[in-house]
């Protein structure tokens, strides 16, 4: 346990494509980077018993999530020679077709960037206290279950 | 004395975001007390976090412990 | 051998971040997609014998590259249940810090998108007849060698 | 009769993008002829593509064959 402020990963609502573009653009000054790996989670319009998902409403236990993300980040940087890593996850309502998760790793060579990105995505899904509530057309809802 | 317990996701929907339970000395007795106080929790799968860490086994708690009930995660 | 026109993958110069953003944005109408995996190759400013790379100048054997890319694409779609896949590679001069390769795979679930993206990147590097000439500050150059 | 051969990358820099060599009946004899005509090629590693496919072994060629000399790829 620590009292220090951990890096924020949560953003309100969907992650826009221009936000992603800006994040990519910022790396053009880091000319030791040779490879970026990006994962984007997009809200699916699944059907459950004839009801269609129109959005997912995300909530979190923020203090625990940021502490856990800090641990994950330290573990990943210890394991892979990354130049940088950026993580963003939505809170609140994200409509079907919109982006709710943005994982962005950069390294000198592709292997590290790709492997680190995949590992971080798995850890986020498995270890971060975040809950998605699937909202249907008729305003009913169902709590999302991640496939692991 | 009483314990403040946070609940999240599906659990918050059932019992509210913040609940008060009679003071317990460890997480096993807390679970039993929760089942008495909130019978609807009995069939629901959840983990307990003490001080922002998911407990691995029965864990001592006191009034200063930060306790949270966590249904399975579904981020991303 | 076929006479049919294969899908173009080459773009003149660097791949801009707004081009990438547009490409992501276009997928918001495809609401069966749950995961996007993106790989970006960025030109590194490596040093070789005290000379710094300022750009890479890419050339290709286009007819062969597009035919080969078509084969790779068919193989990947046969192997992974992807919703879509987009590939772009620069030709001509791309300055250090700019993006020269953009591989974008989308699927219902993350595993397929991630695995397909990684495999396509490897195949592009190994099998597409493309050559990068590293241009140094002093206008000398050296032909790039891919690490495999 | 003569053969038109395309060259790429480092090879194009040395011998030009398009070269003409005396007609050969297969790729092994083409390689020998290239070494005679362009001695600077001898130490350079390259593959031969016939009709846009890299050849696996000695391959018959004729005037209609699309022949290309390919140094190691370095895309991406």
């Amino acid at each position: 346990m620590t009292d220090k402020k951990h890096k924020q990963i949560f953003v309100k609502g969907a992650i826009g494509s221009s936000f992603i573009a800006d994040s990519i653009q910022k790396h053009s000054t880091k000319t030791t980077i040779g490879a970026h790996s990006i994962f984007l989670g997009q809200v699916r319009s699944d059907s459950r018993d004839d009801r269609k998902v129109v959005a997912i409403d995300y909530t979190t236990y923020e203090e625990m999530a940021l502490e856990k993300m800090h641990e994950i980040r330290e573990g990943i940087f210890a394991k892979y020679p990354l130049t940088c890593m950026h993580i963003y996850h939505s809170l609140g309502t994200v409509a079907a077709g919109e982006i709710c998760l943005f994982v962005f790793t950069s390294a000198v060579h592709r292997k590290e960037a790709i492997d680190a990105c995949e590992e971080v995505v798995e850890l986020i899904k498995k270890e971060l206290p975040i809950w998605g509530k699937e909202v249907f057309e008729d305003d009913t809802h169902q709590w999302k279950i991640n496939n692991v | 004395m009483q314990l403040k317990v946070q609940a999240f996701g599906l659990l918050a929907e059932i019992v509210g975001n913040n609940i008060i339970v009679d003071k317990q000395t460890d997480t096993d007795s807390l679970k039993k007390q929760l089942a008495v106080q909130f019978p609807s929790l009995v069939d629901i799968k959840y983990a307990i976090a003490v001080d922002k860490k998911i407990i691995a086994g029965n864990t001592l708690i006191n009034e200063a412990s930060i306790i949270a009930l966590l249904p399975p995660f579904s981020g991303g």
Side-chain angles (χ1 to χ4, degrees), chain A residues 10-15 39-44 53 55-62 88-102 124-125 128-135 142-146, chain B residues 8-9 72-76:
Chain A
F10 294 111
V11 297
K12 202 174 144 47
I15 297 163
F39 178 84
L40 302 173
Q42 180 167 304
V43 171
R44 279 198 315 272
V53 173
I56 294 180
D57 187 16
Y58 288 102
T59 50
T60 185
Y61 178 10
E62 184 162 334
Y88 301 96
H89 196 295
S90 295
L91 288 184
T93 301
V94 182
E98 292 185 317
I99 305 295
C100 58
L101 172 61
F102 173 25
I124 286 171
K125 298 235 176 198
L128 290 196
I130 300 171
W131 298 274
K133 189 173 76 174
E134 295 175 331
V135 181
Q142 175 177 312
W143 290 87
K144 187 177 166 232
I145 296 163
N146 275 359
Chain B
F8 293 92
F73 305 156
S74 54

Side-chain angles (χ1 to χ4, degrees), chain A residues 1-3 10 15-16 19-20 28 31 34 40 50-52 101 113-115 118 132 139 146:
Chain A
M1 253 204 316
T2 132
D3 276 353
F10 294 111
I15 297 163
F19 180 88
I20 297 165
S28 66
T31 56
L40 302 173
D50 283 340
R51 296 172 304 171
K52 244 177 124 95
L101 172 61
I114 290 171
D115 290 352
E118 177 166 13
D139 247 8
N146 275 359

Side-chain angles (χ1 to χ4, degrees), chain B residues 25-63:
Chain B
T25 53
D26 58 38
T27 51
D28 277 358
S29 64
L30 173 65
K31 267 187 212 171
K32 282 187 199 118
Q33 175 60 25
L34 284 167
V36 171
Q37 209 169 326
F38 303 98
S40 51
L41 285 188
V42 173
D43 293 329
I44 294 173
K45 198 184 150 194
Y46 65 88
I48 295 178
V50 174
D51 296 332
K52 299 181 270 174
K53 304 277 179 205
I54 290 174
I55 56 163
N58 190 24
T59 300
L60 291 175
I61 50 179
N62 59 49
E63 298 104 277

Side-chain angles (χ1 to χ4, degrees), chain A residues 44-55 96 134-140:
Chain A
R44 279 198 315 272
S45 183
D46 285 354
S47 288
R48 313 230 182 274
D49 312 323
D50 283 340
R51 296 172 304 171
K52 244 177 124 95
V53 173
V54 292
E134 295 175 331
V135 181
F136 300 101
E137 294 156 303
D138 61 2
D139 247 8
T140 58

Side-chain angles (χ1 to χ4, degrees), chain A residues 77-136:
Chain A
F77 271 102
K79 183 167 173 185
Y80 300 100
L82 294 184
T83 312
C84 46
M85 172 162 84
H86 305 279
I87 315 284
Y88 301 96
H89 196 295
S90 295
L91 288 184
T93 301
V94 182
E98 292 185 317
I99 305 295
C100 58
L101 172 61
F102 173 25
V103 176
F104 186 7
T105 55
S106 308
V108 177
H109 297 294
R110 65 187 181 280
K111 184 95 183 103
E112 300 87 276
I114 290 171
D115 290 352
C117 186
E118 177 166 13
E119 190 165 328
V120 169
V121 171
E122 295 305 320
L123 291 171
I124 286 171
K125 298 235 176 198
K126 203 171 140 218
E127 302 195 348
L128 290 196
I130 300 171
W131 298 274
K133 189 173 76 174
E134 295 175 331
V135 181
F136 300 101

